[in-house]
Amino acid sequence: MTGRSFDEFILTLEEDDNFKCTVTNKDGYVINWQQISKAFRETKNYKCEGCTYKLKDMQFSKFIQTHHIDSYNKLNNKRSNLKCLCVKCHSEVDDYHRNQFTSIENQLLLAEFEEYKSRP
């Protein structure tokens, strides 16, 4: 199983309470969050659901992130609770995210994204 069918399989498991992952890491994300996030972003073709920016080069996939609409429930990985956002839109979702993106690491990521977007 590869490509879209595998992405759909991963996301379908999260829709089923009998099969979804519930084991979390220290940050509260399920241990297979990276796989879920990648599968979700791929089904959205790495296009921001906020500003509609579409990633040009998959090497820079870090600029498109998966956001939990219910930010306080990182265990709810159903598609209805996920949104594909560029780092700029993700940084502006609400006060919690605005605060998260004040870190030096995230400020550098935002600056790198703006520079990347301005490339021809």
Side-chain angles (χ1 to χ4, degrees):
M1 191 180 302
T2 60
R4 279 246 188 240
S5 59
F6 184 70
D7 295 338
E8 288 297 324
F9 175 73
I10 293 297
L11 296 171
T12 299
L13 286 178
E14 289 302 310
E15 304 281 332
D16 188 327
D17 290 336
N18 294 314
F19 295 105
K20 71 180 188 172
C21 182
T22 58
V23 179
T24 61
N25 64 20
K26 64 179 175 55
D27 297 321
Y29 289 93
V30 293
I31 58 171
N32 63 337
W33 170 244
Q34 294 300 323
Q35 192 174 33
I36 294 166
S37 174
K38 183 178 184 290
F40 183 75
R41 289 177 290 150
E42 287 189 9
T43 65
K44 298 296 183 176
N45 296 312
Y46 288 86
K47 184 176 180 181
C48 178
E49 294 181 82
C51 67
T52 71
Y53 178 80
K54 185 169 184 336
L55 195 65
K56 301 174 220 168
D57 182 345
M58 297 315 294
Q59 179 182 351
F60 296 95
S61 63
K62 66 182 179 182
F63 295 139
I64 302 292
Q65 302 177 337
T66 303
H67 166 67
H68 284 95
I69 296 168
D70 176 359
S71 300
Y72 301 102
N73 186 1
K74 295 175 186 171
L75 292 177
N76 181 355
N77 295 309
K78 293 181 178 178
R79 287 175 260 210
S80 61
N81 190 48
L82 302 178
K83 198 167 193 181
C84 188
L85 296 174
C86 70
V87 292
K88 177 72 171 154
C89 288
H90 201 187
S91 74
E92 298 171 348
V93 168
D94 54 27
D95 288 339
Y96 171 78
H97 286 83
R98 279 187 279 281
N99 185 51
Q100 292 295 311
F101 277 86
T102 61
S103 72
I104 292 172
E105 179 183 343
N106 281 329
Q107 286 296 303
L108 290 172
L109 181 64
L110 286 167
E112 190 180 348
F113 176 60
E114 290 301 325
E115 188 272 327
Y116 171 79
K117 279 184 13 181
S118 67
R119 294 179 191 168

